[in-house]
Amino acid sequence: MLKMMGAVAALAVAAPAMAAPATVTVTGTVMSGVDVGGQFGAAGTSLIGQPFSAIFTIDAASGSSMFETATSANLYGTGPASPVSAVLTIGGGSYRFAGSYSGRARVNDTAGRGGTDAVEYFVEDTDFALRPNDNTLLSLGFDTLRDVLAGADFTNVDAAGLTLADNAKGFVKIANRDPVTGTFGAPTYADLAISTIRAQAAAPVPEPATWAMMLSGFALAGVALRRRPRVAARVRFA
């Protein structure tokens, strides 16, 4: 029975785990911009000087592409294969970017080798080339000669004290569509100055197959225990 339980446990542990997604938090200040559509507050309000935070979710979707070298990594996908989504908060309002058109996460760790350290998180909901006024996107990152990265891993970034000298900035544009006429007016937009970027991989989540094997293993172990012969206790009386 012990051998069978050991084999069951081995099966439960041996199944592969799903690749863990990452959460990236970017903070900073709005350098210029107007909330034309009222996504973050009253329509037409200036966004200059407002604090912002952007929380990206990086999760490799089926069909997305990953390119890696010793010093760089690039994860990219379009449509259902887009690996990036984000929630942007400016002041007291938030807007969600689904990444329904495309998304990208990339990193380049070469500042210590005569190049630059670069990080980019990009999410787009409509194609700028097809309909410029319909474009909705959020792009944040930095490109600096300072050696601030520990490796070429966009799911493990901790960069603080970034300045405009590090080219630490971003851009957001949210198209404003008239639901009656179907036409597009001036978009909400903002230029963003980044102060911190922190990325952290989430705990691995077992695949459905892993859960199924674990449950089967527990069931077999329970059956084995029930089938074990019971030995009557012997009671001695003084």
Side-chain angles (χ1 to χ4, degrees):
M1 184 191 71
L2 290 176
K3 289 183 177 180
M4 182 174 71
M5 291 181 65
V8 169
L11 285 172
V13 175
M18 182 185 298
T23 299
V24 183
T25 302
V26 184
T27 63
T29 307
V30 178
M31 294 186 294
S32 64
V34 179
D35 190 2
V36 176
Q39 284 86 1
F40 303 101
T45 302
S46 172
L47 298 174
I48 297 174
Q50 291 282 341
F52 82 84
S53 66
I55 300 178
F56 292 85
T57 299
I58 315 299
D59 194 0
S62 175
S64 58
S65 300
M66 179 71 175
F67 304 96
E68 291 183 285
T69 68
T71 58
S72 64
N74 189 344
L75 177 64
Y76 177 78
T78 59
S82 175
V84 182
S85 60
V87 175
L88 173 66
T89 299
I90 299 179
S94 298
Y95 186 88
R96 175 174 175 77
F97 296 83
S100 54
Y101 183 78
S102 67
R104 178 171 66 247
R106 71 177 182 90
V107 65
N108 188 57
D109 177 29
T110 59
R113 304 172 179 82
T116 62
D117 277 1
V119 171
E120 180 190 24
Y121 300 98
F122 174 90
V123 56
E124 184 178 21
D125 286 340
T126 50
D127 184 8
F128 177 81
L130 296 178
R131 305 178 69 179
N133 292 329
D134 189 18
N135 185 237
T136 299
L137 62 87
L138 171 64
S139 178
L140 294 169
F142 65 85
D143 188 350
T144 178
L145 293 171
R146 291 194 299 138
D147 193 6
V148 296
L149 296 181
D153 181 4
F154 48 72
T155 66
N156 185 23
V157 174
D158 190 355
L162 295 169
T163 69
L164 292 179
D166 297 315
N167 202 30
K169 59 186 180 181
F171 179 74
V172 58
K173 185 168 73 169
I174 302 171
N176 297 311
R177 180 178 182 273
D178 187 323
V180 177
T181 64
T183 59
F184 293 85
T188 289
Y189 71 93
D191 293 304
L192 309 171
I194 301 170
S195 56
T196 67
I197 295 181
R198 290 188 174 90
Q200 183 176 10
V205 178
E207 292 181 342
T210 302
W211 285 114
M213 294 186 72
M214 290 177 67
L215 292 174
S216 299
F218 293 144
L220 288 172
V223 170
L225 288 173
R226 285 196 298 271
R227 289 181 177 178
R228 185 174 61 183
R230 297 181 179 179
V231 179
R234 297 181 181 179
V235 180
R236 293 185 178 181
F237 296 94

